[in-house]
Amino acid sequence: MNRRVLLKQLMMGLPAAAFLPTFLSSCAKEVLIEDFKFTGSVIVIGAGASGIYASNLLRQYGAQVTHLEARSVIGGRMKPNTSIPGIKIELGAEEIHGKRSILYDLAQFNVPSSLIPLPGDDYYFLENQLRSKDFLTGNANLEGTGATMFQILDSFASYPGGAQSVAQYLEEKELDARFIEIANALVGNEYGADNNRIGMLALKEAEAGYSSGEDGQILKDKSLLELFETAFAEDVNQVELNKPVESINYEGAQVVVTTENGESFTADKVLITVPLSILKNNSITFIPTLPSDKLDSIDAIKMDNGLKIVLQFNAPFWVGNTGSIIGGSKVPEYWITGAGKNESVNLVTAFLMGEKADYMAGLSDAQKITEILEELSLLYPTGNVLGKYNGINIVQNWLQEPYIEGAYSYPSPGSEGKRSVLAAPVEGKLYFAGEATNFNGHLATVHGAMESGYRAVKEILEA
Ligand SMILES: Cc1cc2nc3c(=O)[nH]c(=O)nc-3n(C[C@H](O)[C@H](O)[C@H](O)COP(=O)(O)OP(=O)(O)OC[C@H]3O[C@@H](n4cnc5c(N)ncnc54)[C@H](O)[C@@H]3O)c2cc1C
């Protein structure tokens, strides 16, 4: 499950976490700047994790906040589905990555009884058989090649080489061909693309910065969106829905924000938290145009499609305590959706990014399900996968999600060093947050989005 299996940076300086607040009490004022009152006005654009958290902090410091969201719902890439009784299925963010994170603290404070360690054992596709990690690293017939793969994947933070893709680097390291799909699942798919599309230098930057720890957590009976609705209830209630921003004019002393339906809002400062894809497709017009280094960073950092496809079965075909199934040629990672939450629902999530997501997205929904069932049948030849499928599925295609238009930003070749440029304020009037602006190694996560909101609010208060 989209987990940080590779990251070993346990005590690496904690660049952002060192000043991040913990949620010691729900009404405790988090100390961004001591004894400070901000009397100005701020328009926050976007009500995902970064925007909601930022509006909460801004209000704590006295700002007059107008919070505009394009969609009819808040949450952005936190998107629970409740169509199957007995479980909240996360179609976007699901895992809380590590315990040293602002999101972990938020969950620990607000919904402690729901917070559980990521359950289940991982299995890997190796020559069409499911194998444990111990088998990969210890089986004599593999002659140490599996262990070598894990060593390579664990050492990206100290990569000594130049610009090349992860796929090229693994070829240079003569990775055993049997492990190519597994390595793709663990690195490329995990990071929101595939090993051909991830650049080693940008990956090194991300891995060296990551400091949240490796203990994945999930919420057993709450969704991440419910956590935000609980923790930031007052802010969530003040979001103005169905207000898609079309233009931002920052020529004058005040910034004028206009929505698609012609409404205008004016404030001293604007905090832009829309997904990178929205900045890329120019659906918001900036007047004057953004600085060229900002445009260059928007171009350099990539964000592609991602799919989650959930299938329901009448009974399990997997062995008990299965967590994830890693390294398929069609689907890089499957996981047992109900593991730790509700085992009786018999759900499997297929999680695809990059070129495999592009391929699958091009098929009809019926074809998608057929291909997934074929792959699962190959792995569980005696499991009667087809017979157990009950015909219920949920297909989530993030490229088609209005005002999101992609999964999450990834370490594309040439994007190293660009996230801090993307994040930089413009003329003391425009500020930027959102997962893609996280330059502490927590890109593409909910806690990274929150950290970016915190960073941007600090910039606003200090301006
Ligand atoms: C399939 C998938 C799986 C994931 N798994 C995990 C996981 O397990 N753990 C994890 O930590 N993270 C995960 N993530 C990543 C995580 O969901 C994101 O990093 C995080 O939610 C992004 O928050 P954000 O505030 O940056 O952006 P968003 O949540 O995208 O919020 C931006 C908001 O801006 C709004 N908006 C866009 N355009 C406009 C406009 N013109 N005017 C006004 N509003 C606008 C959007 O509607 C949206 O609500 C996953 C994401 C996906 C897609």
Side-chain angles (χ1 to χ4, degrees), residues 2 24 26-27 37 57 74 81 85 112 145 155 161 168 175 185-186 209 277 283 303 316 351 366 383 386 392 444 463:
N2 192 19
L24 296 175
S26 61
C27 58
K37 182 114 178 111
L57 292 172
I74 62 148
N81 176 295
T145 51
S155 62
Q168 287 167 328
L175 178 76
L186 292 176
S277 50
S283 57
M303 173 169 165
F351 179 64
L386 288 180
I392 294 175

Side-chain angles (χ1 to χ4, degrees), residues 1-4 44-52 68-79 90-97 103 217 224 240 243-246 259-260 273-276 278 283-284 303 306-308 335 351-353 396 398 402-404 406-409 433-437 442-450 452:
M1 173 192 300
N2 192 19
R3 64 188 71 194
R4 302 274 173 189
V44 177
I45 303 175
S50 59
I52 293 171
L68 305 177
E69 165 55 48
R71 291 150 60 97
S72 58
V73 289
I74 62 148
R77 281 168 274 177
M78 297 184 290
K79 188 184 178 195
E90 297 281 17
L91 297 179
E94 187 158 356
E95 181 184 341
I96 297 170
H97 293 289
L103 179 62
Q217 314 282 312
L224 286 171
E240 298 190 38
K243 300 271 155 87
V245 170
E246 191 178 60
T259 63
E260 280 175 23
T273 77
V274 302
L276 175 66
I278 302 302
S283 57
I284 299 177
M303 173 169 165
L307 302 182
K308 271 191 180 179
W335 60 79
F351 179 64
L352 307 86
M353 297 276 164
Q396 173 67 35
W398 280 96
Y403 299 102
I404 306 281
Y408 41 80
S409 69
E435 59 83 12
T437 71
H442 300 159
L443 58 148
T445 64
V446 172
H447 71 280
M450 291 179 74
S452 75

Side-chain angles (χ1 to χ4, degrees), residues 214-228:
E214 292 178 78
D215 308 318
Q217 314 282 312
I218 53 170
L219 298 181
K220 185 177 158 67
D221 48 13
K222 299 271 179 206
S223 65
L224 286 171
L225 182 57
E226 284 175 300
L227 168 60
F228 273 68

Side-chain angles (χ1 to χ4, degrees), residues 218-291:
I218 53 170
L219 298 181
K220 185 177 158 67
D221 48 13
K222 299 271 179 206
S223 65
L224 286 171
L225 182 57
E226 284 175 300
L227 168 60
F228 273 68
E229 287 169 338
T230 305
F232 304 118
E234 281 181 30
D235 307 288
V236 163
N237 283 335
Q238 293 178 67
V239 175
E240 298 190 38
L241 299 171
N242 302 306
K243 300 271 155 87
V245 170
E246 191 178 60
S247 72
I248 300 174
N249 185 327
Y250 64 104
E251 281 172 318
Q254 290 228 305
V255 189
V256 182
V257 168
T258 307
T259 63
E260 280 175 23
N261 44 22
E263 272 181 279
S264 283
F265 301 83
T266 304
D268 300 319
K269 295 172 191 299
V270 172
L271 173 55
I272 298 143
T273 77
V274 302
L276 175 66
S277 50
I278 302 302
L279 296 174
K280 277 181 174 294
N281 69 20
N282 295 315
S283 57
I284 299 177
T285 304
F286 289 87
I287 308 160
T289 184
L290 290 171

Side-chain angles (χ1 to χ4, degrees), residues 383-394:
N384 188 18
V385 171
L386 288 180
K388 288 177 179 165
Y389 175 55
N390 75 358
I392 294 175
N393 63 71
I394 304 164

Side-chain angles (χ1 to χ4, degrees), residues 33-233:
I33 300 178
E34 296 277 2
D35 300 327
F36 185 83
K37 182 114 178 111
F38 180 78
T39 50
S41 53
V42 183
I43 296 171
V44 177
I45 303 175
S50 59
I52 293 171
Y53 184 45
S55 69
N56 174 273
L57 292 172
L58 284 165
R59 287 195 182 96
Q60 287 190 42
Y61 277 84
Q64 243 179 285
V65 178
T66 304
H67 196 171
L68 305 177
E69 165 55 48
R71 291 150 60 97
S72 58
V73 289
I74 62 148
R77 281 168 274 177
M78 297 184 290
K79 188 184 178 195
N81 176 295
T82 52
S83 63
I84 293 180
I87 188 162
K88 286 158 187 162
I89 301 170
E90 297 281 17
L91 297 179
E94 187 158 356
E95 181 184 341
I96 297 170
H97 293 289
K99 288 186 172 173
R100 285 193 302 280
S101 110
I102 193 166
L103 179 62
Y104 178 81
D105 289 348
L106 190 71
Q108 180 72 288
F109 183 78
N110 289 283
V111 290
S113 59
S114 190
L115 193 58
I116 57 167
L118 199 57
D121 297 329
D122 292 344
Y123 291 94
Y124 298 83
F125 276 65
L126 186 72
E127 298 176 312
N128 289 335
Q129 296 206 53
L130 286 180
R131 301 293 194 185
S132 66
K133 184 169 181 182
D134 285 350
F135 183 94
L136 261 56
T137 54
N139 184 270
N141 292 333
L142 293 173
E143 296 172 331
T145 51
T148 303
M149 174 191 67
F150 284 106
Q151 278 160 16
I152 297 170
L153 304 193
D154 280 344
S155 62
F156 288 138
S158 53
Y159 169 67
Q164 60 179 329
S165 70
V166 172
Q168 287 167 328
Y169 177 58
L170 294 178
E171 202 178 322
E172 180 186 300
K173 299 293 276 183
E174 299 181 341
L175 178 76
D176 186 322
R178 289 173 292 185
F179 297 117
I180 283 177
E181 295 290 9
I182 294 174
N184 184 60
L186 292 176
V187 186
N189 198 65
E190 159 76 10
Y191 268 101
D194 52 67
N195 283 351
N196 289 310
R197 298 183 192 182
I198 305 277
M200 280 304 298
L201 296 176
L203 178 64
K204 175 183 181 176
E205 182 179 81
E207 299 245 326
Y210 185 83
S211 60
S212 315
E214 292 178 78
D215 308 318
Q217 314 282 312
I218 53 170
L219 298 181
K220 185 177 158 67
D221 48 13
K222 299 271 179 206
S223 65
L224 286 171
L225 182 57
E226 284 175 300
L227 168 60
F228 273 68
E229 287 169 338
T230 305
F232 304 118

